[in-house]
Amino acid sequence: MRIILFGPPGSGKGTQGDLVEKRYGFPKISTGDLLRQAVQDQTPLGRKAEEIMNQGRLVSDDLVEELVQERIKSPDCRRGYLLDGFPRNLAQAQSLERMNGGRAEIAVEIDIDMTTLVRRLESRRVCSSCGTIYNLLVQSLGKKGRCDICGGPLYQRKDDNPEVIKERFRVYREQTEKLRGFYKAKDVYRQIEGSGPVEEVFSRLSAVLDAELAELGENKALG
Ligand code: AMP
């Protein structure tokens, strides 16, 4: 199954995507993560994307489309995958359809109120080594600001500051919200409530995915 997870910055797409990967075995493909890696490695693409990302604007469609196209060719994506942060606008959604040969997918939007989002983004920290996402509101930074899982140093994303957060919301409203209408028209749109503890949100998401899998006649969770 091909799952598109979308929602405003801070809605929990990354965290929920990791949980989906673990439970269902669909690899999470985060264009934000792929781009941040390219920036860190200072590849030609990373150098082009860095400034734009730091301002909270969208990187050009052809750059991200190329990243996704390459990634979904991998053998681990054959059973399906989960996209986190792609598509971000209508042009990308249409491009994804072409990559998929028009095959069906499900688009799940995480709905959440603005105050919660801003609080979450300002208190988000990420492991620079394995990418695990932490939130200071619910977790203390145990081991001197290091990741509980791999021990890597935690950092705050450059775009998680108040000015850039504002711009990312503006971009979301202007571009990504339009995807709702696009996927509704195809009858593949689902919405879940994104507030509350991570496990609660995941049980809402799993209910949607299980129903979809049952309809597709695929195997349920892997374990
Ligand atoms: P994210 O981690 O999804 O919040 O993405 C962080 C930043 O990466 C965004 O603010 C954009 O600058 C860039 N980015 C990620 N995904 C896309 C996309 N699909 N299209 C354009 N830019 C993207």
Side-chain angles (χ1 to χ4, degrees):
M1 179 161 64
R2 284 160 294 278
I3 307 158
I4 295 161
L5 200 54
F6 73 108
S11 55
K13 301 183 293 290
T15 305
Q16 295 297 326
D18 286 337
L19 293 173
V20 168
E21 174 168 322
K22 222 172 172 182
R23 170 146 175 216
Y24 296 87
F26 301 125
K28 178 186 90 167
I29 303 173
S30 155
T31 42
D33 286 350
L34 292 173
L35 288 165
R36 277 184 289 279
Q37 188 61 53
V39 170
Q40 197 179 324
D41 297 344
Q42 284 292 295
T43 65
L45 184 148
R47 280 198 291 272
K48 273 192 216 162
E50 186 168 15
E51 179 71 17
I52 299 169
M53 292 174 74
N54 287 344
Q55 292 168 2
R57 293 186 292 126
L58 292 187
V59 173
S60 76
D61 291 344
D62 42 329
L63 285 188
V64 267
E65 284 164 12
E66 202 180 308
L67 277 177
V68 172
Q69 184 143 34
E70 271 311 301
R71 180 64 187 85
I72 64 179
K73 277 189 203 151
S74 308
D76 65 329
C77 292
R78 227 173 271 146
R79 264 189 73 238
Y81 47 78
L82 177 141
L83 290 169
D84 156 16
F86 182 92
R88 269 307 218 267
N89 57 31
L90 282 179
Q92 291 180 9
Q94 283 155 350
S95 152
L96 176 65
E97 276 197 337
R98 287 192 295 276
M99 291 179 209
N100 269 336
R103 282 179 301 172
E105 64 234 336
I106 174 173
V108 186
E109 181 176 25
I110 306 184
D111 184 40
I112 190 162
D113 71 274
M114 193 71 166
T115 320
T116 312
L117 290 176
V118 175
R119 257 193 306 142
R120 276 192 189 172
L121 287 172
E122 286 178 345
S123 53
R124 169 162 68 182
R125 298 292 183 275
V126 186
C127 172
S128 54
S129 183
C130 71
T132 299
I133 302 159
Y134 291 86
N135 192 304
L136 304 186
L137 296 174
V138 287
Q139 292 138 316
S140 67
L141 282 190
K143 303 178 192 157
K144 293 191 184 124
R146 290 193 166 262
C147 176
D148 286 340
I149 295 168
C150 74
L154 303 184
Y155 75 103
Q156 181 169 31
R157 278 172 47 170
K158 273 195 186 159
D159 57 356
D160 280 346
N161 74 66
E163 272 315 297
V164 183
I165 288 172
K166 232 191 274 170
E167 175 63 8
R168 288 162 62 207
F169 282 133
R170 193 192 64 72
V171 170
Y172 182 78
R173 272 196 224 104
E174 190 182 284
Q175 311 242 358
T176 315
E177 270 187 359
K178 289 184 190 144
L179 296 181
R180 196 181 296 143
F182 179 82
Y183 288 118
K184 267 187 180 171
K186 295 182 180 298
D187 208 18
V188 295
Y189 174 81
R190 307 283 184 276
Q191 191 185 58
I192 59 162
E193 170 58 42
S195 59
V198 169
E199 304 74 34
E200 249 174 52
V201 180
F202 185 58
S203 71
R204 291 178 203 128
L205 179 57
S206 311
V208 167
L209 299 183
D210 287 344
E212 208 58 33
L213 283 171
E215 205 161 291
L216 289 173
E218 288 196 31
N219 295 329
K220 266 201 169 184
L222 294 177

